[in-house]
Amino acid sequence: MKGFNRTLAAFVLAFLTAGAAGALDAKVISVSGKVEVQKNGSATWTPLKTGDSLSKGSVISTGFKSSAKIQIDGSTVTLEPLTRMTIEKLASSASKDESKLYLNSGKVSADVKKSSGKKVEFKVTSPVATASVRGTRFRFSSRGDLITMDGLVSKGRGAPHANIAKSDEVSEFIPADGKSTATTSTEQVSGNREVPVSAGQSSGSDLYTGLAVDPQKGKAGSAGKLRGDGTASLASKETSRRKADGMGPIVNDSVDRKSGTVVISVTVED
């Protein structure tokens, strides 16, 4: 009899665990301008409306001067103008919620939070890079440009195309407890050793290697910082080389913003 009770208890536990797995809810909470959706398995584009529900495989596209905001459990994702995004996975279990999005083109902003008290695994992948986050606000482009406003983003390699999940089962990786900070390791956020981009930092991606560029303070754009193409400027590379060789610094490093060109005057000390 005791053996029967143990078997019954194990069966009930397995049933409840299996029943806990399922799909997360994704709902459109605002739409501005022309926004369309292509549902999974359909070749037809239809207008996206506030209140619509979305499932994995859905592709959302925003037009010129258009945007959309999507809520996934406690998190919100804003698609900026001229953006196309594919929902790869929306899964939930008793231990965590898992969301995977693919940014085909354009830019998104996200505020990732948990509302059910469970762990949250949230990833946005583009052809160039992948941003894995936990309790974080960030802005991410399909070119791999990343700005972290709060928390920590683990940045890794991208993928050439969207990979729609075949099931609603969550992955084995469980993010660590607590809020992401500058001292949090990327393994705790994504399960991999990647480039950490903390609050107030930005990072591009090298267009030749696909590797994430070391984070920079503030936004990119000036000599000695990250350029728009995701590579370090010539001035910053030369400064690093001279420091490594024990040489003097570069002086009179400037940017001619009117013509859009970089003017670098180098004075080499004898």
Side-chain angles (χ1 to χ4, degrees):
M1 187 65 178
K2 290 182 179 180
F4 174 77
N5 290 336
R6 285 195 296 268
T7 303
L8 179 62
F11 173 79
V12 171
L13 179 61
F15 176 80
L16 291 175
T17 303
L24 278 174
D25 291 329
K27 182 172 289 188
V28 181
I29 56 179
S30 70
V31 171
S32 176
K34 184 178 180 180
V35 183
E36 296 179 316
V37 61
Q38 188 179 59
K39 297 294 181 68
N40 189 23
S42 172
T44 304
W45 289 94
T46 58
L48 188 69
K49 304 182 298 296
T50 300
D52 283 355
S53 295
L54 299 169
S55 59
K56 68 178 181 182
S58 297
V59 183
I60 304 98
S61 178
T62 60
F64 182 66
K65 291 185 177 180
S66 303
S67 62
K69 183 176 289 187
I70 300 169
Q71 186 173 49
I72 304 175
D73 198 32
S75 305
T76 56
V77 180
T78 301
L79 284 73
E80 299 185 19
L82 301 176
T83 293
R84 179 172 292 188
M85 186 186 77
T86 302
I87 298 177
E88 292 186 314
K89 188 174 186 178
L90 295 172
S92 179
S93 71
S95 58
K96 74 169 184 177
D97 293 332
E98 184 176 353
S99 304
K100 291 186 177 181
L101 310 174
Y102 188 83
L103 187 58
N104 306 73
S105 60
K107 299 176 181 178
V108 296
S109 300
D111 186 358
V112 181
K113 297 178 180 177
K114 59 182 180 181
S115 66
S116 55
K118 294 185 288 186
K119 306 290 182 61
V120 174
E121 183 180 1
F122 191 100
K123 288 187 179 182
V124 182
T125 300
S126 79
V128 180
T130 295
S132 302
V133 303
R134 179 191 66 171
T136 304
R137 289 187 302 115
F138 69 99
R139 189 166 183 257
F140 187 58
S141 79
S142 59
R143 295 181 58 181
D145 297 323
L146 169 69
I147 299 176
T148 303
M149 278 80 82
D150 183 47
L152 174 75
V153 175
S154 176
K155 188 179 182 186
R157 288 182 178 272
H161 52 76
N163 182 22
I164 311 301
K166 296 181 180 180
S167 72
D168 292 329
E169 296 292 329
V170 298
S171 63
E172 295 181 357
F173 170 69
I174 302 294
D177 286 321
K179 184 178 180 180
S180 298
T181 66
T183 59
T184 304
S185 68
T186 57
E187 288 94 331
Q188 293 177 292
V189 178
S190 66
N192 300 308
R193 180 172 294 181
E194 298 174 330
V195 175
V197 186
S198 303
Q201 293 184 326
S202 63
S203 171
S205 294
D206 190 300
L207 299 183
Y208 297 100
T209 66
L211 297 175
V213 176
D214 288 340
Q216 304 287 325
K217 287 291 185 182
K219 293 187 177 180
S222 62
K225 293 184 179 180
L226 193 64
R227 297 192 313 192
D229 62 358
T231 61
S233 67
L234 292 175
S236 64
K237 289 181 179 179
E238 179 64 12
T239 300
S240 299
R241 184 187 69 80
R242 290 175 65 84
K243 285 182 178 179
D245 293 342
M247 302 170 66
I250 294 176
V251 299
N252 196 20
D253 175 88
S254 62
V255 178
D256 182 358
R257 297 187 184 279
K258 292 183 180 180
S259 62
T261 59
V262 177
V263 179
I264 302 176
S265 299
V266 180
T267 301
V268 180
E269 300 175 355
D270 292 331

